[in-house]
Amino acid sequence: MNLPSHMGARGGHLYLGAHDCVSLAAEFGTPVFVTDEDRIRENFRRFRAALTRHSPAVRILYAAKANGNLSVLQTLAREGAGADVFSAGEVNLALLAGMQPEHLLFNGSSKSRADLALAVEKNIRVSVDSFDELRQLDTVAGDAGAEVEISFRVNPALEVPTHPKIATGLSTSKFGIPAGQILDAYREALACTHVRPVGMHCHIGSQILDVEPFARAAEVMVQVAGEVTDIGVDLAFLDIGGGLGIPYRRGEDVAPGPEAYADVVMPVVLEGLAQLGISPELWVEPGRSLVGDSTVLLTGVNSVKSAHKRFVNVDAGFNLLVRPAMYDSYHEVVVANRADAPPVQEYTVTGPICETGDILAADRMLPVVEEGDVIAVLDTGAYGFSMSSQYNSRPRCPEVMVSGERKALMRRAETVGDLLATMEPLPWH
Ligand code: LLP
């Protein structure tokens, strides 16, 4: 396994930046997510540099769903990121983190009237996903005496090489407006009193390890941009979504970096727009590629069992990291207190949840594992804590941020009191 450059093994212990993962586990307890802020900054700067090498007129809207901790949003806000926001909660957190309303795009295929009203109130652009939503938004903005700027989400009908549950631009997907209806959508928006179409949006899927599908999506977007320009839309931005994957199988997966992505996508966009004689800003919405590799989930070994397999029973399960159970995702695991030891035994790492599918890592060669060891699950910064639950009435674990020599809690552990906090006693009990 090749550890990423911000991680390493020293004196038999796994390190995240300057921090010994075994000491972190002892200090904060397990399970715990630990995030390296410096890595997030490095990932962001690398992505931005890759894009701006081609054009300065680009904006990065971090996909807040990947990791919505306020501290993570603040780190990215200070770097100049905006955000792709998908709910009222994400809108509020992004604004609290210091992001500018004009750098947010409110996405989603099922927004409520309250969501639309929030966008209007906070002056946030909306990526409209249906004719119905367009009409509702026009009414909501009219009621507020306001005008709201929008894009439409285009469904580019593209197959992408990823897990079917995270491919979002298929013709059969619930997201976006089919290309055959998109001109009518813009025509209707042009005729609205309180809505102004100024952008165009798409997002083809997630964890994509090939840059070609992004180029195909960019071609569709440029073509549709030409058609909507012809009917009188003045495009201020073209948002091609996120989706660039990361090498979860370290040493095996070949993942194109943001440079390869930009080198393929930017020429398609820039040459296409130049031919059309228009110059909207280009927006991208990376999530995983900014935060995915920043974080380890440290989980303690409760017991080891030799049955038909050798099971390592740890204290984190799909309550904290659902990706393996939900998408059969692969995450590297490292015995953090024996990081230099050779792999000698095959183990399956299982969580404490009352389900057979609660497996974090199946059939992995590891050093000998025993009670009290600390297992680090790598690349858990994206869609880790943000998809966690309290299943089996397990309070969620804390999140810690490290930066250089510094370390601090960025979310405390939940308690049983937190489980109870939102429950109401029934009047007839
Ligand atoms: N923009 C939109 C509109 C999105 O829906 C998403 C992700 C992104 C951007 C960011 O995509 P990324 O760069 O992170 O691939 N829970 C799944 C991934 C779901 C992605 C949802 N949308 C997983 O754990 O793999």
Side-chain angles (χ1 to χ4, degrees), residues 300-340:
V301 175
N302 285 329
S303 56
V304 180
K305 173 165 74 178
S306 287
H308 82 284
K309 283 183 172 188
R310 230 173 266 264
F311 292 108
V312 176
N313 300 310
V314 295
D315 54 16
F318 77 55
N319 53 324
L320 296 177
L321 183 66
V322 78
R323 302 192 68 257
M326 193 152 172
Y327 317 110
D328 295 319
S329 305
Y330 186 99
H331 285 261
E332 298 287 2
V333 290
V334 177
V335 184
N337 54 311
R338 265 192 270 282
D340 287 337

Coordinates of all heavy atoms in Angstrom, one line a residue, residues 300-340:
G300 N -11.0 1.3 17.7 CA -10.3 0.4 18.6 C -10.8 -1.1 18.4 O -11.9 -1.3 18.1
V301 N -9.8 -2.0 18.7 CA -10.2 -3.4 18.6 C -10.8 -3.9 19.9 O -10.1 -3.8 20.9 CB -8.9 -4.2 18.2 CG1 -9.3 -5.7 18.2 CG2 -8.4 -3.8 16.8
N302 N -12.0 -4.3 19.8 CA -12.7 -4.9 21.0 C -12.3 -6.3 21.2 O -12.1 -6.8 22.4 CB -14.2 -4.8 20.9 CG -14.7 -3.4 21.1 OD1 -14.1 -2.6 21.9 ND2 -15.8 -3.0 20.4
S303 N -12.2 -7.1 20.2 CA -11.9 -8.5 20.3 C -11.6 -9.1 18.9 O -11.8 -8.5 17.9 CB -13.1 -9.3 20.9 OG -14.3 -9.1 20.1
V304 N -10.9 -10.2 19.0 CA -10.6 -11.0 17.7 C -11.2 -12.3 17.8 O -11.2 -13.0 18.9 CB -9.0 -11.1 17.6 CG1 -8.7 -11.8 16.3 CG2 -8.4 -9.7 17.5
K305 N -11.8 -12.8 16.8 CA -12.5 -14.1 16.8 C -12.1 -15.0 15.6 O -12.2 -14.5 14.5 CB -14.0 -13.9 16.8 CG -14.8 -15.1 16.7 CD -16.3 -14.9 17.1 CE -17.1 -14.2 16.0 NZ -18.5 -14.1 16.4
S306 N -11.7 -16.2 15.9 CA -11.5 -17.1 14.8 C -12.7 -18.0 14.6 O -13.0 -18.9 15.5 CB -10.3 -18.1 15.1 OG -9.1 -17.3 15.1
A307 N -13.5 -17.8 13.6 CA -14.6 -18.6 13.2 C -14.4 -19.1 11.9 O -13.3 -19.6 11.6 CB -15.9 -17.7 13.3
H308 N -15.4 -19.0 10.9 CA -15.0 -19.5 9.6 C -14.0 -18.5 8.9 O -13.4 -18.8 7.9 CB -16.3 -19.7 8.7 CG -16.8 -18.5 8.1 ND1 -17.6 -17.6 8.8 CD2 -16.8 -18.1 6.8 CE1 -17.9 -16.6 8.0 NE2 -17.4 -16.9 6.8
K309 N -14.0 -17.3 9.5 CA -13.0 -16.4 9.1 C -12.4 -15.8 10.4 O -12.9 -16.0 11.5 CB -13.6 -15.2 8.4 CG -14.0 -15.4 7.0 CD -14.5 -14.1 6.4 CE -14.7 -14.3 4.9 NZ -15.1 -13.1 4.2
R310 N -11.3 -15.0 10.3 CA -10.8 -14.4 11.4 C -11.3 -12.9 11.5 O -11.1 -12.1 10.5 CB -9.2 -14.3 11.3 CG -8.5 -14.8 12.6 CD -7.1 -14.8 12.3 NE -6.7 -16.2 11.9 CZ -6.2 -17.1 12.8 NH1 -6.0 -16.8 14.0 NH2 -5.9 -18.3 12.3
F311 N -12.2 -12.7 12.4 CA -12.9 -11.4 12.5 C -12.1 -10.5 13.5 O -11.8 -10.9 14.6 CB -14.3 -11.6 13.0 CG -15.2 -12.2 12.0 CD1 -15.7 -13.5 12.2 CD2 -15.6 -11.6 10.8 CE1 -16.5 -14.2 11.3 CE2 -16.4 -12.2 9.9 CZ -16.9 -13.5 10.1
V312 N -12.0 -9.2 13.1 CA -11.5 -8.2 14.1 C -12.7 -7.3 14.4 O -13.2 -6.7 13.5 CB -10.4 -7.3 13.4 CG1 -10.0 -6.2 14.4 CG2 -9.2 -8.2 13.1
N313 N -13.2 -7.4 15.6 CA -14.4 -6.6 16.0 C -14.0 -5.3 16.6 O -13.3 -5.2 17.6 CB -15.1 -7.4 17.1 CG -15.6 -8.8 16.6 OD1 -16.1 -8.9 15.5 ND2 -15.3 -9.8 17.3
V314 N -14.3 -4.2 15.8 CA -13.9 -2.9 16.2 C -15.0 -2.0 16.7 O -16.2 -2.5 16.6 CB -13.1 -2.2 15.0 CG1 -11.8 -2.9 14.7 CG2 -14.0 -2.0 13.8
D315 N -14.7 -0.8 17.2 CA -15.8 0.0 17.8 C -16.5 0.9 16.8 O -17.3 1.8 17.2 CB -15.3 0.6 19.1 CG -14.1 1.5 18.9 OD1 -13.8 1.8 17.7 OD2 -13.4 1.8 19.9
A316 N -16.1 0.9 15.5 CA -16.8 1.7 14.5 C -17.4 0.8 13.5 O -16.8 -0.2 13.1 CB -15.8 2.7 13.8
G317 N -18.6 1.1 13.1 CA -19.3 0.3 12.1 C -19.9 1.1 11.0 O -19.5 2.3 10.8
F318 N -21.0 0.6 10.4 CA -21.6 1.4 9.3 C -22.4 2.5 9.9 O -22.9 3.4 9.1 CB -22.3 0.5 8.3 CG -23.6 0.0 8.6 CD1 -24.7 0.8 9.1 CD2 -23.9 -1.4 8.5 CE1 -25.9 0.2 9.3 CE2 -25.1 -1.9 8.7 CZ -26.2 -1.1 9.2
N319 N -22.5 2.6 11.2 CA -23.1 3.8 11.8 C -22.2 5.0 11.5 O -22.7 6.1 11.4 CB -23.3 3.6 13.3 CG -22.1 3.2 14.1 OD1 -21.3 2.4 13.5 ND2 -21.9 3.6 15.3
L320 N -20.9 4.8 11.4 CA -19.9 5.9 11.2 C -19.4 5.9 9.8 O -19.0 7.0 9.3 CB -18.8 5.8 12.2 CG -19.2 6.0 13.7 CD1 -18.0 5.8 14.6 CD2 -19.9 7.3 13.9
L321 N -19.3 4.8 9.2 CA -18.8 4.8 7.8 C -19.6 3.8 7.0 O -19.4 2.6 7.1 CB -17.3 4.3 7.8 CG -16.7 4.3 6.4 CD1 -16.6 5.7 5.8 CD2 -15.3 3.6 6.4
V322 N -20.6 4.3 6.3 CA -21.6 3.4 5.6 C -21.2 3.0 4.2 O -21.7 2.2 3.6 CB -23.0 4.2 5.6 CG1 -23.0 5.2 4.5 CG2 -24.1 3.2 5.4
R323 N -20.1 3.7 3.7 CA -19.7 3.4 2.3 C -19.5 2.0 2.0 O -20.0 1.5 0.9 CB -18.5 4.3 1.9 CG -18.7 5.8 2.2 CD -17.6 6.6 1.5 NE -17.7 6.6 0.1 CZ -16.9 5.9 -0.7 NH1 -15.9 5.2 -0.1 NH2 -17.1 5.8 -2.0
P324 N -18.7 1.2 2.8 CA -18.5 -0.2 2.4 C -19.9 -1.0 2.4 O -20.1 -1.8 1.4 CB -17.6 -0.7 3.5 CG -16.9 0.5 4.0 CD -17.9 1.6 4.0
A325 N -20.8 -0.7 3.3 CA -22.0 -1.4 3.3 C -22.9 -1.0 2.2 O -23.7 -1.8 1.6 CB -22.7 -1.2 4.7
M326 N -22.9 0.3 1.9 CA -23.8 0.9 0.9 C -23.4 0.7 -0.5 O -24.2 0.5 -1.4 CB -24.0 2.3 1.2 CG -25.2 3.0 0.5 SD -25.8 4.3 1.5 CE -27.0 5.0 0.3
Y327 N -22.1 0.9 -0.8 CA -21.6 0.8 -2.2 C -20.5 -0.2 -2.4 O -19.8 -0.2 -3.4 CB -21.0 2.1 -2.6 CG -21.7 3.4 -2.2 CD1 -21.2 4.2 -1.2 CD2 -22.9 3.7 -2.8 CE1 -21.8 5.4 -0.8 CE2 -23.6 4.9 -2.4 CZ -23.0 5.7 -1.4 OH -23.7 6.9 -1.0
D328 N -20.4 -1.2 -1.4 CA -19.2 -2.1 -1.5 C -17.9 -1.4 -1.6 O -17.0 -1.8 -2.3 CB -19.4 -3.1 -2.6 CG -20.6 -4.0 -2.4 OD1 -20.8 -4.4 -1.3 OD2 -21.3 -4.2 -3.4
S329 N -17.8 -0.2 -1.0 CA -16.6 0.6 -1.2 C -15.4 0.0 -0.5 O -15.5 -0.7 0.6 CB -16.8 2.0 -0.7 OG -17.9 2.6 -1.2
Y330 N -14.2 0.3 -1.0 CA -13.0 -0.2 -0.4 C -12.3 0.9 0.3 O -12.1 2.0 -0.3 CB -12.1 -0.8 -1.6 CG -10.8 -1.4 -1.1 CD1 -10.7 -2.8 -1.0 CD2 -9.7 -0.7 -0.8 CE1 -9.6 -3.4 -0.6 CE2 -8.5 -1.3 -0.4 CZ -8.5 -2.7 -0.3 OH -7.3 -3.3 0.1
H331 N -11.9 0.7 1.5 CA -11.1 1.6 2.3 C -9.9 0.9 2.8 O -10.1 -0.2 3.4 CB -11.8 2.3 3.5 CG -12.8 3.3 3.0 ND1 -12.6 4.6 3.1 CD2 -14.1 3.2 2.5 CE1 -13.6 5.3 2.6 NE2 -14.6 4.4 2.3
E332 N -8.7 1.4 2.7 CA -7.5 0.7 3.3 C -7.6 0.8 4.8 O -8.1 1.7 5.4 CB -6.2 1.5 2.8 CG -6.0 1.5 1.4 CD -5.5 0.1 0.8 OE1 -5.4 -0.9 1.6 OE2 -5.2 0.1 -0.4
V333 N -7.2 -0.3 5.4 CA -7.1 -0.3 6.9 C -5.6 -0.6 7.3 O -4.9 -1.4 6.7 CB -8.0 -1.3 7.5 CG1 -9.5 -0.9 7.4 CG2 -7.8 -2.7 7.0
V334 N -5.2 0.1 8.3 CA -3.8 0.0 8.8 C -3.9 -0.2 10.3 O -4.6 0.5 11.0 CB -3.0 1.3 8.5 CG1 -1.6 1.2 9.1 CG2 -3.0 1.6 7.0
V335 N -3.1 -1.2 10.8 CA -3.0 -1.3 12.3 C -2.1 -0.2 12.8 O -0.9 -0.3 12.6 CB -2.5 -2.7 12.7 CG1 -2.5 -2.9 14.2 CG2 -3.3 -3.8 12.1
A336 N -2.7 0.8 13.3 CA -1.9 2.1 13.6 C -0.7 1.9 14.6 O 0.3 2.6 14.5 CB -2.8 3.2 14.1
N337 N -0.9 0.9 15.5 CA 0.2 0.7 16.5 C 1.2 -0.4 16.0 O 2.1 -0.8 16.8 CB -0.4 0.4 17.9 CG -1.3 -0.8 17.8 OD1 -2.2 -0.8 16.9 ND2 -1.2 -1.8 18.7
R338 N 1.0 -0.9 14.8 CA 2.0 -1.9 14.2 C 2.1 -1.5 12.7 O 2.1 -2.4 11.9 CB 1.4 -3.3 14.4 CG 1.9 -4.0 15.6 CD 1.5 -5.5 15.5 NE 0.2 -5.7 16.1 CZ 0.0 -5.8 17.4 NH1 1.0 -5.7 18.3 NH2 -1.3 -6.0 17.9
A339 N 2.3 -0.2 12.5 CA 2.3 0.2 11.1 C 3.4 -0.3 10.2 O 3.3 -0.4 9.0 CB 2.2 1.7 11.1
D340 N 4.5 -0.7 10.9 CA 5.7 -1.2 10.2 C 5.7 -2.8 10.0 O 6.5 -3.3 9.3 CB 7.0 -0.9 10.9 CG 7.3 0.6 10.8 OD1 6.8 1.2 9.8 OD2 8.0 1.1 11.6

